[in-house]
Amino acid sequence: NAGVTQTPKFQVLKTGQSMTLQCAQDMNHEYMSWYRQDPGMGLRLIHYSVGAGITDQGEVPNGYNVSRSTTEDFPLRLLSAAPSQTSVYFCASRDIAGTSGNTIYFGEGSWLTVV
Amino acid sequence: AQTVTQSQPEMSVQEAETVTLSCTYDTSESDYYLFWYKQPPSRQMILVIRQEAYKQQNATENRFSVNFQKAAKSFSLKISDSQLGDAAMYFCAYRKYNAGNMLTFGGGTRLMVKP
């Protein structure tokens, strides 16, 4: 059971480039979300999904797109990278209910630097 | 919108002593969850403790306990018998009852443990 897997772990981008951060979970969780963590701050919600085919914006969605074609995968796309998007990105998932329904599982983070 | 405030950017404690980290939040909801997460230098998000707002009893997990004051919207974390491995960033987080895995985080408190 791998939990929440994020790739890549480290990435350097040039301003204007696009890229996709991958997130996969093998726990059949309905809820998935992406957060960013800037230096010295807490995590902020970028986008979230309550199930396959359903996504919505969080607190800081500008410059990012998401899709949820399967329950397992929730990729985050940076459309045109900017230095302000330099951050650590976390993917998280949660089951709807059950014994683990209140536990949110986080990936290990993806460190992105935009130069 | 909900906000979470951690007023102590840094705290230090002597090994084996007790320390309390503060957190206040603002919400108009009556049903919600509160969490404390630990983030070591690896950036992994580790759940320390969880409190359901409808429960009057304060949550405890081994050396970690909370003081939940619903009317005052206060949620402090007490770490007893502090250990060197407790040194990390600690984040307080809030989730509305039916809000999937959408967390609102405080800005964090860096805890240093002195041998």
Side-chain angles (χ1 to χ4, degrees):
Chain A
N1 189 342
V4 180
T5 302
Q6 292 182 229
T7 55
K9 285 189 170 45
F10 301 93
Q11 182 72 49
V12 178
L13 280 181
K14 292 183 179 178
T15 298
Q17 286 184 319
S18 62
M19 77 157 296
T20 299
L21 298 177
Q22 301 291 344
C23 176
Q25 51 92 7
D26 60 358
M27 298 172 283
N28 202 34
H29 286 173
E30 293 296 321
Y31 300 134
M32 295 187 75
S33 56
W34 276 102
Y35 293 85
R36 61 177 287 173
Q37 184 180 26
D38 299 327
M41 296 179 65
L43 281 67
R44 291 183 293 167
L45 183 66
I46 305 172
H47 285 285
Y48 65 95
S49 170
V50 298
I54 305 169
T55 64
D56 207 342
Q57 297 181 350
E59 180 187 355
V60 288
N62 292 340
Y64 307 94
N65 273 353
V66 291
S67 60
R68 185 94 181 271
S69 57
T70 67
T71 299
E72 294 77 20
D73 299 302
F74 190 45
L76 177 72
R77 280 181 286 276
L78 281 71
L79 308 173
S80 177
S84 61
Q85 293 179 302
T86 294
S87 192
V88 182
Y89 292 83
F90 289 92
C91 181
S93 75
R94 180 173 86 88
D95 197 359
I96 287 180
T99 55
S100 66
N102 288 319
T103 299
I104 296 175
Y105 295 81
F106 283 89
E108 294 186 343
S110 295
W111 299 61
L112 176 67
T113 301
V114 182
V115 297
Chain B
Q2 296 83 19
T3 59
V4 178
T5 303
Q6 294 178 246
S7 59
Q8 306 153 315
E10 281 191 359
M11 293 283 286
S12 67
V13 63
Q14 205 71 33
E15 196 175 4
E17 297 294 310
T18 296
V19 65
T20 298
L21 308 184
S22 301
C23 173
T24 58
Y25 59 95
D26 187 24
T27 183
S28 58
E29 303 290 329
S30 58
D31 290 332
Y32 50 88
Y33 296 90
L34 295 164
F35 307 85
W36 278 99
Y37 281 90
K38 173 185 178 181
Q39 188 180 52
S42 66
R43 295 286 191 129
Q44 180 70 29
M45 296 294 290
I46 302 167
L47 178 64
V48 175
I49 200 163
R50 177 182 67 231
Q51 174 78 43
E52 290 87 346
Y54 66 86
K55 290 186 177 179
Q56 292 187 343
Q57 186 173 7
N58 289 323
T60 61
E61 287 287 344
N62 300 315
R63 297 183 295 107
F64 299 88
S65 61
V66 298
N67 183 3
F68 172 50
Q69 302 288 328
K70 191 173 184 179
K73 295 180 182 175
S74 170
F75 182 61
S76 60
L77 174 70
K78 186 171 82 171
I79 306 174
S80 303
D81 186 26
S82 297
Q83 300 175 359
L84 295 177
D86 294 334
M89 284 291 292
Y90 286 82
F91 292 98
C92 178
Y94 164 99
R95 177 170 71 81
K96 201 164 57 171
Y97 180 67
N98 284 324
N101 60 351
M102 294 183 287
L103 293 167
T104 300
F105 284 86
T109 297
R110 180 174 302 281
L111 177 66
M112 294 171 287
V113 180
K114 299 177 182 178

